[in-house]
Amino acid sequence: MLDTIIHLLLAILMPPLLLGVIGKTKAAFAGRVGAPLLQPYYDIARLLRKGSVFSDTTTWLFRAGPVVTLAATAVAALLVPLGNHGAPISFAGDMVLFAYLFGLARFFTTVAALDTGSSFEGMGAAREVTFSCLAEPTLFFALVTLARMSGSLSLTPMLTHPSVADWLKTGASLLLLVGALFIVLLAENCRIPFDDPTTHLELTMIHEVMVLDHSGPAFGLILYGAALKLFVLGAFFMNVALPLRTGDPLTDWGVFVASMVVLAVAIGVVESVMARLRLVRVPQLLVAATILSAFSMLLILR
């Protein structure tokens, strides 16, 4: 019960902190003080207090988009184990539900963008769906690889199974898998080099262009949902990349929180030393991630 309560508290409270750490890291690389670490919390709270403005041309799909996207991501957060602790919800085959929850969230985000009738948001929706088609095979190859290693189709045993001994035994396969998952982590969360969440240039936007017509609480839900998605996929990634186990439950929770902060710093470093890719280069990098994960699966299956 205590682990479930800590799981819920971390899933609710920690996601915006990761955005704050990324912002602070980027500011440090640029020689600036940057926004406060808790700025994402202030932004979300400010948006939730504002009123909403809806265009007369939109339907219920535009209002449902942010709510369904956040709800689907929140359910996914209950399926993924955090560190050495099992997920609150776990059953055989939950890995398929985990993948399709993000598909459902993406579907409602793109449908809400198309519902505005704006060709500008339609452009962003087309880009989002195109790139997600290239990123999803990597995730499924990774799930097959982890299922083969753990002998289970449930996320909790799959993600708590990797250990230091597995890295010594199948290091090449896991290294390819970690590289592929990190690329997908950046792409799925619209981070540099795939997208820039701070840009508003027409030719470079992917995700941001789809949510430009949202405001007030709806936009606050979108920002929180994006932070929660980064938290969930980050926990998935760190379970494979850094499978540290101490055996003490409270210490393991501390290790998990520290590993997530390290991941946020790593993302901030990547965004500080890399430029955004040209759109024509994005599919090439996503296909490379798919190839890496496919080779990882072949090494495990052989």
Side-chain angles (χ1 to χ4, degrees), residues 226-249:
L228 184 58
K229 185 178 182 180
L230 175 63
F231 176 83
V232 173
L233 293 180
F236 185 103
F237 173 79
M238 293 308 294
N239 274 323
V240 180
L242 201 63
L244 297 178
R245 313 279 190 266
T246 65
D248 180 65

Side-chain angles (χ1 to χ4, degrees), residues 58-68 107-109 111-113 115 214:
T58 59
T59 67
W60 65 271
L61 286 170
F62 184 77
R63 293 168 173 80
V67 178
V68 175
F107 173 77
F108 268 88
T109 301
V111 167
D115 193 50
H214 289 282

Side-chain angles (χ1 to χ4, degrees), residues 174-215:
L174 287 175
L175 194 61
L176 292 174
L177 189 62
V178 166
L181 286 176
F182 190 67
I183 292 173
V184 170
L185 174 69
L186 297 178
E188 285 288 322
N189 289 285
C190 309
R191 312 301 308 190
I192 294 174
F194 296 96
D195 197 3
D196 187 351
T198 62
T199 185
H200 286 85
L201 297 176
E202 177 182 353
L203 296 179
T204 60
M205 281 196 291
I206 300 175
H207 181 77
E208 285 297 311
V209 68
M210 293 193 299
V211 299
L212 281 180
D213 279 348
H214 289 282
S215 61

Side-chain angles (χ1 to χ4, degrees), residues 5 44 107 182 224 263 276 295:
I5 294 174
I44 294 172
F107 173 77
F182 190 67
Y224 182 74
L263 174 64
R276 189 185 182 285
F295 271 116

Side-chain angles (χ1 to χ4, degrees), residues 15-138:
L17 179 65
L18 300 180
L19 300 181
V21 174
I22 293 173
K24 271 294 185 184
T25 304
K26 294 170 68 174
F29 267 80
R32 298 182 285 106
V33 176
L37 200 60
L38 301 181
Q39 187 62 45
Y41 295 94
Y42 303 147
D43 292 340
I44 294 172
R46 175 174 50 82
L47 288 169
L48 293 179
R49 290 196 301 268
K50 288 190 172 182
S52 298
V53 177
F54 296 107
S55 169
D56 293 336
T57 63
T58 59
T59 67
W60 65 271
L61 286 170
F62 184 77
R63 293 168 173 80
V67 178
V68 175
T69 300
L70 177 58
T73 310
V75 174
L78 299 177
L79 296 175
V80 66
L82 303 183
N84 197 31
H85 304 278
I89 301 175
S90 178
F91 54 88
D94 58 3
M95 65 176 194
V96 178
L97 175 62
F98 178 78
Y100 278 97
L101 281 171
F102 287 113
L104 176 67
R106 180 176 293 108
F107 173 77
F108 268 88
T109 301
T110 53
V111 167
L114 293 173
D115 193 50
T116 62
S118 166
S119 57
F120 190 38
E121 298 196 23
M123 175 197 69
R127 291 174 177 176
E128 173 83 3
V129 173
T130 301
F131 295 150
S132 68
C133 289
L134 298 174
E136 285 177 358
T138 302

